[in-house]
Amino acid sequence: MSHTKISPLASVHPEAKIAEGVVVHPFALIEENTEIGEGCIIESHAVIKSGARLGKYCHIHSGAVIAGIPQDLKFAGEESIAIVGDHTMVRECATINRGTASRGRTIVGSHCLLMAYSHVAHDCVLGDHVILGNATQVAGEVEIDDYAILSGGSLIHQFVRISQHVMLQGGSRVNKDIPPYTLIGRDPIVYCGINIVGLRRRGFTNEQIFRINDIYRTLYQRGLNNTEAFKAIEEEIPESYERQLILDFIRSSERGIVRGTMD
């Protein structure tokens, strides 16, 4: 394990908890009530504010702000935190706000990439291996599951849920829930198929991919309402983890899911 290296030109509060092997560059700011995990790199002019909890081997680039005060008029200064998982990279000028009384914490998972100028608002929950493209803006209390990719300039409405293995076109404006394994694009956004490339890269078999495709064909392309589609899916498509995940997600959606393609 390499030794901790904190530049004398950095501003680090004496009560900040800094693990072994952390590198803090000149002009970085680390406030009190912060925890910086083993092997993290904090670049110049990054700001780690009170309530930040960084896992191991995170890389926080210049101008990024972790655990900033929520941009929520209901916020009254309550204690809250922002958690960042292991091996997550936060690029230049990206921001992660801490939680409010609603949930008390904002969570960004492990192995995530938050590209430059992206924003994660208060009380959001991001899973692992999530990618936010440049300037993507995620409003408060949004949930984004594992391996979702939100391309640059996307705008995500408050309370939206984006399920796992989703691929979202750049510049998308999202105000409905996005079910798992889907490819979402156009303006306004619609279902454009399943995320075949992403699924293959992550080891999904042809059988799994065909099954997922059959489910969404039944849901979106057979002219059925949701009740009829669910019945047909359960009768015609063998039970599987993927089938259950899709049906459970749609049934639990309070905002409703993205509509199908309309030519």
Side-chain angles (χ1 to χ4, degrees), residues 17-155:
K17 296 180 180 179
I18 310 292
E20 286 294 316
V22 170
V23 176
V24 182
H25 287 264
F27 310 113
L29 170 63
I30 302 177
E31 295 184 347
E32 78 284 358
N33 186 25
T34 54
E35 298 177 8
I36 313 297
E38 176 185 312
C40 286
I41 300 172
I42 312 299
E43 299 277 6
S44 297
H45 301 287
V47 180
I48 313 299
K49 297 185 71 66
S50 179
R53 305 286 186 265
L54 301 187
K56 299 177 181 179
Y57 302 104
C58 295
H59 193 162
I60 312 301
H61 284 255
S62 299
V65 181
I66 311 299
I69 292 173
Q71 299 176 111
D72 185 340
L73 294 177
K74 298 187 296 298
F75 180 72
E78 59 266 25
E79 287 291 323
S80 61
I81 59 177
I83 300 171
V84 179
D86 300 339
H87 298 278
T88 283
M89 181 178 292
V90 181
R91 292 303 303 255
E92 294 81 0
C93 300
T95 52
I96 303 172
N97 288 170
R98 60 188 174 97
T100 68
S102 175
R103 294 180 176 173
R105 60 187 58 199
T106 301
I107 300 174
V108 174
S110 297
H111 299 278
C112 294
L113 171 58
L114 277 56
M115 294 188 190
Y117 296 98
S118 59
H119 173 66
V120 178
H122 64 88
D123 303 293
C124 287
V125 179
L126 276 61
D128 299 334
H129 300 277
V130 170
I131 298 176
L132 301 184
N134 293 299
T136 289
Q137 309 293 296
V138 181
E141 303 192 50
V142 166
E143 298 178 13
I144 303 174
D145 291 340
D146 298 350
Y147 291 100
I149 299 176
L150 283 59
S151 301
S154 296
L155 303 176

Side-chain angles (χ1 to χ4, degrees), residues 103-230:
R103 294 180 176 173
R105 60 187 58 199
T106 301
I107 300 174
V108 174
S110 297
H111 299 278
C112 294
L113 171 58
L114 277 56
M115 294 188 190
Y117 296 98
S118 59
H119 173 66
V120 178
H122 64 88
D123 303 293
C124 287
V125 179
L126 276 61
D128 299 334
H129 300 277
V130 170
I131 298 176
L132 301 184
N134 293 299
T136 289
Q137 309 293 296
V138 181
E141 303 192 50
V142 166
E143 298 178 13
I144 303 174
D145 291 340
D146 298 350
Y147 291 100
I149 299 176
L150 283 59
S151 301
S154 296
L155 303 176
I156 315 303
H157 195 282
Q158 193 170 23
F159 302 115
V160 156
R161 297 163 59 220
I162 298 176
S163 193
Q164 57 189 257
H165 300 284
V166 165
M167 179 71 183
L168 187 65
Q169 173 185 289
S172 295
R173 296 173 293 167
V174 181
N175 61 4
K176 295 289 186 180
D177 291 345
I178 309 297
Y181 314 120
T182 56
L183 183 66
I184 303 298
R186 301 192 183 181
D187 184 20
I189 60 167
V190 293
Y191 167 80
C192 295
I194 66 170
N195 183 17
I196 294 176
V197 173
L199 296 179
R200 285 181 174 157
R201 286 175 177 172
R202 293 168 204 135
F204 281 69
T205 65
N206 285 337
E207 181 183 0
Q208 289 174 299
I209 291 171
F210 294 153
R211 183 186 304 124
I212 292 167
N213 197 43
D214 286 344
I215 292 169
Y216 281 112
R217 186 182 295 114
T218 302
L219 181 68
Y220 281 122
Q221 297 175 352
R222 287 174 53 178
L224 306 175
N225 63 35
N226 279 356
T227 300
E228 293 167 340
F230 293 161

Side-chain angles (χ1 to χ4, degrees), residues 184 215 221 235-237 254:
I184 303 298
I215 292 169
Q221 297 175 352
E235 290 178 350
E236 300 170 13
I237 298 173
E254 296 181 0

